[in-house]
mmCIF file of all heavy atoms in Angstrom:
data_model
loop_
_atom_site.group_PDB
_atom_site.id
_atom_site.type_symbol
_atom_site.label_atom_id
_atom_site.label_comp_id
_atom_site.label_asym_id
_atom_site.label_seq_id
_atom_site.Cartn_x
_atom_site.Cartn_y
_atom_site.Cartn_z
ATOM 1 N N VAL M 1 52.821 -36.262 -42.251
ATOM 2 C CA VAL M 1 54.179 -36.299 -41.689
ATOM 3 C C VAL M 1 54.286 -35.294 -40.549
ATOM 4 O O VAL M 1 54.788 -35.618 -39.459
ATOM 5 C CB VAL M 1 55.238 -36.012 -42.776
ATOM 6 C CG1 VAL M 1 56.619 -35.883 -42.162
ATOM 7 C CG2 VAL M 1 55.224 -37.098 -43.842
ATOM 8 N N ALA M 2 53.787 -34.080 -40.777
ATOM 9 C CA ALA M 2 53.872 -33.032 -39.757
ATOM 10 C C ALA M 2 53.102 -33.411 -38.492
ATOM 11 O O ALA M 2 53.526 -33.080 -37.378
ATOM 12 C CB ALA M 2 53.344 -31.713 -40.320
ATOM 13 N N ALA M 3 51.983 -34.103 -38.649
ATOM 14 C CA ALA M 3 51.183 -34.491 -37.490
ATOM 15 C C ALA M 3 51.877 -35.568 -36.654
ATOM 16 O O ALA M 3 51.679 -35.648 -35.442
ATOM 17 C CB ALA M 3 49.812 -34.978 -37.941
ATOM 18 N N LEU M 4 52.694 -36.398 -37.294
ATOM 19 C CA LEU M 4 53.363 -37.477 -36.565
ATOM 20 C C LEU M 4 54.732 -37.059 -36.002
ATOM 21 O O LEU M 4 55.210 -37.657 -35.040
ATOM 22 C CB LEU M 4 53.504 -38.706 -37.466
ATOM 23 C CG LEU M 4 53.820 -40.025 -36.785
ATOM 24 C CD1 LEU M 4 52.739 -40.400 -35.767
ATOM 25 C CD2 LEU M 4 53.980 -41.144 -37.792
ATOM 26 N N LEU M 5 55.332 -36.034 -36.579
ATOM 27 C CA LEU M 5 56.669 -35.606 -36.131
ATOM 28 C C LEU M 5 56.771 -35.312 -34.633
ATOM 29 O O LEU M 5 57.767 -35.700 -34.009
ATOM 30 C CB LEU M 5 57.125 -34.381 -36.921
ATOM 31 C CG LEU M 5 57.823 -34.672 -38.242
ATOM 32 C CD1 LEU M 5 58.153 -33.378 -38.969
ATOM 33 C CD2 LEU M 5 59.075 -35.505 -38.047
ATOM 34 N N PRO M 6 55.792 -34.657 -34.014
ATOM 35 C CA PRO M 6 55.921 -34.381 -32.579
ATOM 36 C C PRO M 6 55.994 -35.640 -31.709
ATOM 37 O O PRO M 6 56.376 -35.566 -30.547
ATOM 38 C CB PRO M 6 54.660 -33.582 -32.243
ATOM 39 C CG PRO M 6 54.180 -33.038 -33.532
ATOM 40 C CD PRO M 6 54.612 -34.010 -34.575
ATOM 41 N N PHE M 7 55.664 -36.781 -32.268
ATOM 42 C CA PHE M 7 55.659 -38.028 -31.492
ATOM 43 C C PHE M 7 56.943 -38.829 -31.657
ATOM 44 O O PHE M 7 57.051 -39.938 -31.149
ATOM 45 C CB PHE M 7 54.422 -38.864 -31.860
ATOM 46 C CG PHE M 7 53.154 -38.180 -31.473
ATOM 47 C CD1 PHE M 7 52.484 -37.366 -32.370
ATOM 48 C CD2 PHE M 7 52.653 -38.317 -30.188
ATOM 49 C CE1 PHE M 7 51.328 -36.706 -32.000
ATOM 50 C CE2 PHE M 7 51.497 -37.661 -29.813
ATOM 51 C CZ PHE M 7 50.828 -36.856 -30.720
ATOM 52 N N TRP M 8 57.929 -38.251 -32.378
ATOM 53 C CA TRP M 8 59.237 -38.888 -32.527
ATOM 54 C C TRP M 8 59.846 -39.078 -31.136
ATOM 55 O O TRP M 8 59.905 -38.164 -30.336
ATOM 56 C CB TRP M 8 60.138 -38.002 -33.375
ATOM 57 C CG TRP M 8 61.539 -38.518 -33.511
ATOM 58 C CD1 TRP M 8 62.594 -38.191 -32.728
ATOM 59 C CD2 TRP M 8 62.010 -39.441 -34.464
ATOM 60 N NE1 TRP M 8 63.710 -38.854 -33.143
ATOM 61 C CE2 TRP M 8 63.385 -39.636 -34.218
ATOM 62 C CE3 TRP M 8 61.429 -40.136 -35.514
ATOM 63 C CZ2 TRP M 8 64.172 -40.481 -34.980
ATOM 64 C CZ3 TRP M 8 62.210 -40.972 -36.272
ATOM 65 C CH2 TRP M 8 63.562 -41.143 -36.005
ATOM 66 N N GLY M 9 60.255 -40.272 -30.797
ATOM 67 C CA GLY M 9 60.881 -40.560 -29.523
ATOM 68 C C GLY M 9 59.903 -40.770 -28.375
ATOM 69 O O GLY M 9 60.330 -41.002 -27.251
ATOM 70 N N GLN M 10 58.608 -40.704 -28.643
ATOM 71 C CA GLN M 10 57.599 -40.934 -27.613
ATOM 72 C C GLN M 10 57.373 -42.443 -27.443
ATOM 73 O O GLN M 10 57.897 -43.256 -28.197
ATOM 74 C CB GLN M 10 56.280 -40.244 -27.992
ATOM 75 C CG GLN M 10 56.389 -38.743 -28.150
ATOM 76 C CD GLN M 10 56.660 -38.034 -26.843
ATOM 77 O OE1 GLN M 10 56.104 -38.383 -25.816
ATOM 78 N NE2 GLN M 10 57.550 -37.058 -26.887
ATOM 79 N N SER M 11 56.557 -42.801 -26.480
ATOM 80 C CA SER M 11 56.262 -44.216 -26.235
ATOM 81 C C SER M 11 55.477 -44.810 -27.406
ATOM 82 O O SER M 11 54.835 -44.088 -28.166
ATOM 83 C CB SER M 11 55.439 -44.360 -24.951
ATOM 84 O OG SER M 11 54.130 -43.850 -25.148
ATOM 85 N N GLU M 12 55.543 -46.127 -27.526
ATOM 86 C CA GLU M 12 54.799 -46.808 -28.589
ATOM 87 C C GLU M 12 53.309 -46.547 -28.473
ATOM 88 O O GLU M 12 52.613 -46.445 -29.483
ATOM 89 C CB GLU M 12 55.092 -48.309 -28.571
ATOM 90 C CG GLU M 12 56.453 -48.651 -29.105
ATOM 91 C CD GLU M 12 56.658 -50.145 -29.272
ATOM 92 O OE1 GLU M 12 55.721 -50.938 -29.054
ATOM 93 O OE2 GLU M 12 57.787 -50.529 -29.634
ATOM 94 N N ASP M 13 52.804 -46.461 -27.244
ATOM 95 C CA ASP M 13 51.381 -46.166 -27.060
ATOM 96 C C ASP M 13 51.022 -44.811 -27.638
ATOM 97 O O ASP M 13 50.005 -44.661 -28.324
ATOM 98 C CB ASP M 13 50.999 -46.209 -25.572
ATOM 99 C CG ASP M 13 50.991 -47.624 -25.005
ATOM 100 O OD1 ASP M 13 50.950 -48.578 -25.816
ATOM 101 O OD2 ASP M 13 51.028 -47.759 -23.773
ATOM 102 N N SER M 14 51.842 -43.809 -27.373
ATOM 103 C CA SER M 14 51.583 -42.458 -27.896
ATOM 104 C C SER M 14 51.663 -42.430 -29.420
ATOM 105 O O SER M 14 50.807 -41.849 -30.083
ATOM 106 C CB SER M 14 52.579 -41.459 -27.329
ATOM 107 O OG SER M 14 52.455 -41.359 -25.940
ATOM 108 N N VAL M 15 52.694 -43.052 -29.943
ATOM 109 C CA VAL M 15 52.877 -43.088 -31.397
ATOM 110 C C VAL M 15 51.733 -43.846 -32.053
ATOM 111 O O VAL M 15 51.173 -43.411 -33.070
ATOM 112 C CB VAL M 15 54.243 -43.720 -31.766
ATOM 113 C CG1 VAL M 15 54.369 -43.923 -33.263
ATOM 114 C CG2 VAL M 15 55.383 -42.868 -31.232
ATOM 115 N N GLY M 16 51.348 -44.959 -31.475
ATOM 116 C CA GLY M 16 50.249 -45.756 -32.019
ATOM 117 C C GLY M 16 48.926 -45.005 -32.005
ATOM 118 O O GLY M 16 48.171 -45.036 -32.977
ATOM 119 N N MET M 17 48.661 -44.308 -30.903
ATOM 120 C CA MET M 17 47.420 -43.541 -30.809
ATOM 121 C C MET M 17 47.432 -42.392 -31.822
ATOM 122 O O MET M 17 46.436 -42.149 -32.503
ATOM 123 C CB MET M 17 47.230 -43.000 -29.389
ATOM 124 C CG MET M 17 45.912 -42.289 -29.192
ATOM 125 S SD MET M 17 44.471 -43.317 -29.522
ATOM 126 C CE MET M 17 44.537 -44.428 -28.146
ATOM 127 N N ALA M 18 48.546 -41.705 -31.926
ATOM 128 C CA ALA M 18 48.651 -40.605 -32.892
ATOM 129 C C ALA M 18 48.474 -41.124 -34.318
ATOM 130 O O ALA M 18 47.747 -40.523 -35.124
ATOM 131 C CB ALA M 18 49.997 -39.903 -32.750
ATOM 132 N N GLY M 19 49.109 -42.237 -34.627
ATOM 133 C CA GLY M 19 48.986 -42.821 -35.961
ATOM 134 C C GLY M 19 47.562 -43.235 -36.283
ATOM 135 O O GLY M 19 47.079 -43.028 -37.399
ATOM 136 N N ALA M 20 46.868 -43.786 -35.284
ATOM 137 C CA ALA M 20 45.477 -44.192 -35.491
ATOM 138 C C ALA M 20 44.586 -42.979 -35.733
ATOM 139 O O ALA M 20 43.709 -43.001 -36.605
ATOM 140 C CB ALA M 20 44.981 -44.984 -34.286
ATOM 141 N N VAL M 21 44.821 -41.919 -34.973
ATOM 142 C CA VAL M 21 44.022 -40.699 -35.150
ATOM 143 C C VAL M 21 44.276 -40.111 -36.541
ATOM 144 O O VAL M 21 43.332 -39.705 -37.236
ATOM 145 C CB VAL M 21 44.342 -39.668 -34.042
ATOM 146 C CG1 VAL M 21 43.752 -38.304 -34.362
ATOM 147 C CG2 VAL M 21 43.828 -40.172 -32.698
ATOM 148 N N ILE M 22 45.531 -40.080 -36.963
ATOM 149 C CA ILE M 22 45.864 -39.555 -38.289
ATOM 150 C C ILE M 22 45.157 -40.376 -39.370
ATOM 151 O O ILE M 22 44.572 -39.811 -40.301
ATOM 152 C CB ILE M 22 47.388 -39.532 -38.504
ATOM 153 C CG1 ILE M 22 48.025 -38.495 -37.580
ATOM 154 C CG2 ILE M 22 47.738 -39.236 -39.958
ATOM 155 C CD1 ILE M 22 49.536 -38.606 -37.477
ATOM 156 N N CYS M 23 45.193 -41.692 -39.247
ATOM 157 C CA CYS M 23 44.507 -42.554 -40.228
ATOM 158 C C CYS M 23 43.011 -42.267 -40.276
ATOM 159 O O CYS M 23 42.406 -42.203 -41.345
ATOM 160 C CB CYS M 23 44.742 -44.034 -39.904
ATOM 161 S SG CYS M 23 46.343 -44.643 -40.434
ATOM 162 N N CYS M 24 42.404 -42.093 -39.117
ATOM 163 C CA CYS M 24 40.967 -41.804 -39.061
ATOM 164 C C CYS M 24 40.655 -40.450 -39.692
ATOM 165 O O CYS M 24 39.656 -40.317 -40.407
ATOM 166 C CB CYS M 24 40.470 -41.848 -37.616
ATOM 167 S SG CYS M 24 40.436 -43.511 -36.928
ATOM 168 N N VAL M 25 41.502 -39.465 -39.449
ATOM 169 C CA VAL M 25 41.286 -38.139 -40.036
ATOM 170 C C VAL M 25 41.442 -38.197 -41.557
ATOM 171 O O VAL M 25 40.728 -37.501 -42.289
ATOM 172 C CB VAL M 25 42.257 -37.107 -39.406
ATOM 173 C CG1 VAL M 25 42.248 -35.791 -40.156
ATOM 174 C CG2 VAL M 25 41.901 -36.891 -37.941
ATOM 175 N N GLN M 26 42.324 -39.038 -42.050
ATOM 176 C CA GLN M 26 42.538 -39.161 -43.493
ATOM 177 C C GLN M 26 41.318 -39.721 -44.209
ATOM 178 O O GLN M 26 41.144 -39.501 -45.409
ATOM 179 C CB GLN M 26 43.745 -40.057 -43.785
ATOM 180 C CG GLN M 26 45.056 -39.437 -43.418
ATOM 181 C CD GLN M 26 46.209 -40.412 -43.557
ATOM 182 O OE1 GLN M 26 46.023 -41.631 -43.570
ATOM 183 N NE2 GLN M 26 47.412 -39.881 -43.655
ATOM 184 N N ILE M 27 40.471 -40.419 -43.500
ATOM 185 C CA ILE M 27 39.268 -40.984 -44.107
ATOM 186 C C ILE M 27 38.314 -39.872 -44.554
ATOM 187 O O ILE M 27 37.586 -40.025 -45.525
ATOM 188 C CB ILE M 27 38.569 -41.947 -43.115
ATOM 189 C CG1 ILE M 27 39.500 -43.103 -42.762
ATOM 190 C CG2 ILE M 27 37.257 -42.449 -43.653
ATOM 191 C CD1 ILE M 27 39.982 -43.928 -43.924
ATOM 192 N N VAL M 28 38.332 -38.736 -43.843
ATOM 193 C CA VAL M 28 37.420 -37.631 -44.173
ATOM 194 C C VAL M 28 37.639 -37.141 -45.611
ATOM 195 O O VAL M 28 36.685 -37.108 -46.398
ATOM 196 C CB VAL M 28 37.535 -36.490 -43.141
ATOM 197 C CG1 VAL M 28 36.717 -35.292 -43.552
ATOM 198 C CG2 VAL M 28 37.120 -36.983 -41.758
ATOM 199 N N PRO M 29 38.857 -36.756 -46.012
ATOM 200 C CA PRO M 29 39.016 -36.336 -47.409
ATOM 201 C C PRO M 29 38.835 -37.485 -48.403
ATOM 202 O O PRO M 29 38.353 -37.271 -49.518
ATOM 203 C CB PRO M 29 40.429 -35.765 -47.477
ATOM 204 C CG PRO M 29 41.109 -36.179 -46.235
ATOM 205 C CD PRO M 29 40.066 -36.519 -45.232
ATOM 206 N N LEU M 30 39.192 -38.689 -47.989
ATOM 207 C CA LEU M 30 39.003 -39.838 -48.875
ATOM 208 C C LEU M 30 37.525 -40.011 -49.223
ATOM 209 O O LEU M 30 37.160 -40.178 -50.387
ATOM 210 C CB LEU M 30 39.565 -41.103 -48.216
ATOM 211 C CG LEU M 30 39.638 -42.360 -49.070
ATOM 212 C CD1 LEU M 30 40.518 -42.140 -50.285
ATOM 213 C CD2 LEU M 30 40.186 -43.506 -48.238
ATOM 214 N N LEU M 31 36.667 -39.944 -48.210
ATOM 215 C CA LEU M 31 35.218 -40.036 -48.455
ATOM 216 C C LEU M 31 34.680 -38.734 -49.034
ATOM 217 O O LEU M 31 33.683 -38.741 -49.764
ATOM 218 C CB LEU M 31 34.488 -40.396 -47.166
ATOM 219 C CG LEU M 31 34.800 -41.777 -46.593
ATOM 220 C CD1 LEU M 31 34.065 -41.994 -45.280
ATOM 221 C CD2 LEU M 31 34.444 -42.870 -47.588
ATOM 222 N N GLY M 32 35.338 -37.624 -48.717
ATOM 223 C CA GLY M 32 34.924 -36.338 -49.260
ATOM 224 C C GLY M 32 35.002 -36.296 -50.775
ATOM 225 O O GLY M 32 34.195 -35.623 -51.425
#
């Protein structure tokens, strides 16, 4: 939530890219 909050009100491209990066980072602990 904290990682996505700064993108509130940003363009869909920015929000989409941030969301994709967050999802990719979440894979690390999942596989960990």
Side-chain angles (χ1 to χ4, degrees):
V1 173
L4 196 59
L5 274 177
F7 295 92
W8 176 267
Q10 300 292 320
S11 70
E12 286 188 4
D13 288 343
S14 297
V15 173
M17 185 59 70
V21 168
I22 292 167
C23 281
C24 289
V25 169
Q26 290 173 340
I27 299 302
V28 174
L30 189 60
L31 295 177

